Amino acid sequence: MSTESALADGVREALAIDPDEFAARVEEEAEIVKQELRDGSFDNHQSIVGFEYEFYAVADGRWSEESRAGKYALMRVPRRLLELMGFEKELGLHNAEMSTSPQPLSDHGLHAQLSEVRARLEAAENTAGVEGMRLVSDGLWTIPPTGETAREYLTDCVDVDGVTVAVNMSDAVRYHAMANTGDDERLGTAVEAPGVSLAADTVMPESLITSIQPHYQVAQARTLPRHFRYALRIAGPLLALGVNSPFFPPELYDEGWDGERVLAEGAAGNRIHVFESVLNARTDDDKVRFPRDVHDVETAIDRIVADETLIPMPEPEGTDRFDDAFATFRTKHGSYWRWVRPVFEGASRSSANARIEFRPIAAQPTVRDSIAFQAAFAGLMQSLPQRDHPAIGLSWETARENFYAAVADGLDADIQWIDTDGGATTDTDAVYADLLDHAEAGLRTAGCPEEEAASWLAPLRWRVANRTTPASWKRDRVRARLDDGDDFETAVRDTQREYVDRQSETLVEGGFSAWKDSGETK
C-alpha cells in the first residue's frame, strides 16, 4: 500500500469518528484531570523549563552549478534523515523540530538547555550537510524549492480515492483531515496578511512559518492561572523583541504591493497572521487567538473541553503513560491553538506537570538569542507573581492591543506597560528596563549568579539599546538593496541569502548582535 493510500485511509478513519462520542470522552477525562489536580499529581517541588525549536531546510549550494543558482532554496528533508538527526517531523516536508529535555529553572538548568540545543543542532547540521542541506532558524521562508514557485509548493495537492492530500505535507492525519471535512462554504484555507491573500485546499500554507516555544512548568498547579495572566501581559513586549517575519516569498504579494508599499505597510511579525488566518479559516470560533484571562485552574481545563473540535481523532492506543488516563483530552488539547496556552500532562505521575507554553516568538537568528527568550520568559514567570508586580492590573484589552501592535511594528510599537511603581508608561526604554530587570531578578531567585543572570538576557538588552530586531535587520537590508536599484524579488531573496550566510557563522556559537556591523549588503 502506498504512503498516500495509507494516509487517505487514516483520514477516512478520523472522519468516521462520532463527534458526540469524542466530546463525551473529552468531558469524562477532564474530570480525571481535575481530580489529579486536587490530588496534587501535577505539583512539583520547583519550577521546570523546556523548549521546542523549529527549523526549515535549504540547499547549501555546494554540489553543482544548478544548486549554486538555487542557493538557500527550500528543500524537503528525507524522512530517514530526520531519524538520523534525532529530530521530529513538523507540518511541511521541509520542516524539522527538536524538543529539549525538561530541566529545573536554575543556572545549571539553562546551561543544560543551551548545551542540548547546541549539541543536537551541530550533529544535525553535520548530518544534513552530507546531503547538501542546511537547517535554518528563521520566522518565515522566502525562497521556494528550485524549479518551483512558492504558490505551487504550498497549494499542490492530489485526490486519493476521494481524499484530498497535500503533496508537500508530512503524513499527519489530523492536518490532512482538515481539508476533507466541513461544508462547501468552509472547505479550504487562506493566508490573509498585509499585502498577501493566498487560497489553498489544505493547511499547508501554515508551513511558511517556524517558531520557538519556551515552556514554564509551575511548581504548584493551583498557581497556574496567576502565572497565565502575567504571561498574557508580557506577550506583546516579548513578541516586539522577537519579530522575524517581515517578508513573504515575493510572488505571493497581491497586485499593487511593490517593495515600497511592503516596507511602508507590511507587518514585522507576519508569522502571527499566517497561523491565525490559515487555521481559523476552518472554524466558527477562532481557534488561534490571544486567549482570555484564566482565574482558576478548573476553568483552564473547561476551556480546552469547550474548544471547537475540528477533527475528532480515534482514541489513542495505550502506552503505559500516566496521562493515558486522559489521552483523548490530550488529543483535544493538540488543536487548542492559543498564543499562550496551559498544558496538563506527564509520562509518569512523578513527571506530571502543569505548564504554560509561550508560542508567539518566531525562530531566531542564533541559538543564543533563542535561549535568551526562554530565560526571559522563565525569569518573568518566576519574578512577577512572587513580587506581585502591578502589571497584572493592565487590562486584558490593553494586553491584546500590545500584542497586535507588536505584530505590526515590532520595537517601533507603542507598548503600554505598568511599571513596578504602578505608573503607566509607553516609553520603550522604561518598559524594557522594568521588564528585563524583573526577568533578571527572577533568574537570580532561581539560583543564577548575578553575572550569569545578566548574561542570559544580554542579547535582548542589546536589541532594545540598538532598536534592532531580526525583522528590522531584514527590512534595512531590503531597503538598502532597493535604493541600490534591485527589484523587490531580488532584494528579498538576496537578503534571505545574507541572513543564512550570517547564520552559518553564528547559529550554534555566536549571537545576533554580531550581525549589525559585520559588513555591507551583498
Side-chain angles (χ1 to χ4, degrees):
M1 180 182 293
S2 72
T3 300
E4 286 184 350
S5 295
L7 179 59
D9 289 343
V11 170
R12 276 188 285 270
E13 181 184 0
L15 297 178
I17 301 299
D18 186 316
D20 293 332
E21 291 182 4
F22 179 84
R25 288 203 309 272
V26 172
E27 288 189 20
E28 292 173 3
E29 292 180 8
E31 295 307 312
I32 297 174
V33 178
K34 291 178 183 179
Q35 185 58 54
E36 294 291 352
L37 281 165
R38 289 190 287 269
D39 293 344
S41 300
F42 295 102
D43 294 341
N44 295 282
H45 68 282
Q46 65 183 122
S47 301
I48 307 290
V49 292
F51 199 65
E52 295 179 37
Y53 203 153
E54 298 171 355
F55 301 84
Y56 61 78
V58 300
D60 67 9
R62 288 189 296 154
W63 298 118
S64 65
E65 195 64 38
E66 181 182 354
S67 69
R68 282 192 288 275
K71 185 178 181 182
Y72 302 152
L74 201 69
M75 280 190 74
R76 299 164 178 86
V77 184
R79 303 297 89 178
R80 60 171 179 79
L81 192 62
L82 273 182
E83 295 175 4
L84 287 173
M85 294 190 303
F87 277 50
E88 304 161 20
K89 62 186 177 183
E90 245 293 330
L91 181 66
L93 292 179
H94 56 277
N95 290 129
E97 181 184 52
M98 76 161 76
S99 298
T100 62
S101 306
Q103 298 289 342
L105 175 56
S106 65
D107 195 49
H108 290 303
L110 289 172
H111 275 291
Q113 295 278 296
L114 178 62
S115 295
E116 181 178 358
V117 171
R118 283 175 166 168
R120 293 179 61 189
L121 181 56
E122 187 173 56
E125 288 281 41
N126 290 337
T127 303
V130 175
E131 304 286 336
M133 183 182 298
R134 174 179 299 281
L135 295 180
V136 177
S137 175
D138 189 14
L140 195 158
W141 56 265
T142 57
I143 305 177
T146 301
E148 300 176 67
T149 67
R151 190 177 300 273
E152 291 169 344
Y153 181 79
L154 293 168
T155 62
D156 193 11
C157 59
V158 295
D159 183 284
V160 181
D161 300 327
V163 173
T164 301
V165 173
V167 171
N168 297 305
M169 192 188 297
S170 297
D171 56 350
V173 168
R174 66 176 179 142
Y175 285 119
H176 287 277
M178 288 173 62
N180 294 275
T181 187
D183 54 46
D184 290 340
E185 293 182 358
R186 285 172 50 190
L187 287 174
T189 61
V191 173
E192 295 291 345
V196 172
S197 50
L198 171 68
D201 292 328
T202 74
V203 297
M204 181 61 189
E206 193 234 312
S207 71
L208 276 162
I209 57 177
T210 44
S211 69
I212 57 172
Q213 294 180 22
H215 299 174
Y216 178 85
Q217 299 180 18
V218 297
Q220 300 295 317
R222 60 182 171 77
T223 70
L224 184 143
R226 185 168 176 79
H227 284 85
F228 189 84
R229 295 200 301 277
Y230 274 115
L232 296 184
R233 272 70 188 166
I234 65 175
L238 289 184
L239 174 59
L241 282 176
V243 286
N244 192 18
S245 49
F247 300 112
F248 286 89
E251 68 176 89
L252 297 184
Y253 282 98
D254 298 332
E255 185 177 355
W257 281 76
D258 60 8
E260 294 296 336
R261 187 173 179 187
V262 172
L263 287 173
E265 301 178 36
N270 282 301
R271 174 180 166 266
I272 304 297
H273 290 304
V274 172
F275 198 58
E276 288 189 346
S277 60
V278 170
L279 294 176
N280 288 344
R282 304 305 308 276
T283 60
D284 292 322
D285 298 319
D286 291 346
K287 288 177 69 67
V288 184
R289 62 179 185 262
F290 189 81
R292 287 279 178 182
D293 286 331
V294 174
H295 292 281
D296 59 78
V297 72
E298 289 80 8
T299 297
I301 295 168
D302 290 340
R303 286 187 183 172
I304 296 169
V305 174
D307 192 47
E308 182 177 352
T309 299
L310 287 179
I311 304 296
M313 298 294 292
E315 188 169 0
E317 295 182 3
T319 57
D320 295 325
R321 287 174 57 105
F322 161 75
D323 49 21
D324 281 346
F326 46 93
T328 305
F329 175 86
R330 283 173 50 221
T331 298
K332 176 72 179 286
H333 179 274
S335 63
Y336 181 70
W337 295 305
R338 302 294 189 271
W339 291 118
V340 183
R341 72 176 182 181
V343 183
F344 307 91
E345 65 178 19
S348 64
R349 187 175 295 273
S350 62
S351 66
N353 63 87
R355 69 174 185 265
I356 296 172
E357 291 183 354
F358 192 71
R359 301 163 57 85
I361 307 299
Q364 297 295 301
T366 76
V367 170
R368 188 67 184 80
D369 287 87
S370 295
I371 298 298
F373 278 98
Q374 181 185 34
F377 178 64
L380 288 165
M381 289 294 92
Q382 192 81 359
S383 175
L384 298 182
Q386 285 181 349
R387 294 167 180 248
D388 198 25
H389 193 289
I392 201 169
L394 194 73
S395 73
W396 176 86
E397 289 78 9
T398 299
R400 184 181 184 278
E401 289 170 4
N402 285 343
F403 185 83
Y404 289 102
V407 171
D409 297 319
L411 269 179
D412 291 331
D414 289 327
I415 299 292
Q416 301 180 57
W417 186 247
I418 299 177
D419 63 25
T420 191
D421 297 322
T425 182
T426 57
D427 179 79
T428 299
D429 290 316
V431 170
Y432 287 102
D434 186 63
L435 198 77
L436 296 176
D437 283 352
H438 278 85
E440 192 171 320
L443 295 178
R444 290 200 304 271
T445 300
C448 293
E450 185 173 345
E451 290 186 5
E452 285 293 309
S455 177
W456 287 115
L457 302 173
L460 304 187
R461 291 194 187 274
W462 179 89
R463 294 186 184 195
V464 176
N466 290 273
R467 295 296 195 273
T468 301
T469 64
S472 69
W473 183 92
K474 291 175 180 176
R475 288 171 60 85
D476 288 347
R477 293 305 191 273
V478 168
R479 170 79 274 163
R481 288 183 164 93
L482 292 176
D483 289 346
D484 287 342
D486 285 350
D487 61 77
F488 181 54
E489 180 174 352
T490 300
V492 170
R493 291 195 174 193
D494 284 353
T495 293
Q496 185 69 16
R497 292 187 174 106
E498 184 183 359
Y499 180 97
V500 180
D501 279 336
R502 298 282 175 87
Q503 189 171 95
S504 68
E505 302 167 357
T506 57
L507 176 59
V508 176
E509 295 292 343
F512 175 58
S513 60
W515 294 22
K516 186 171 177 62
D517 299 313
S518 54
E520 299 298 324
T521 57
K522 300 177 182 179

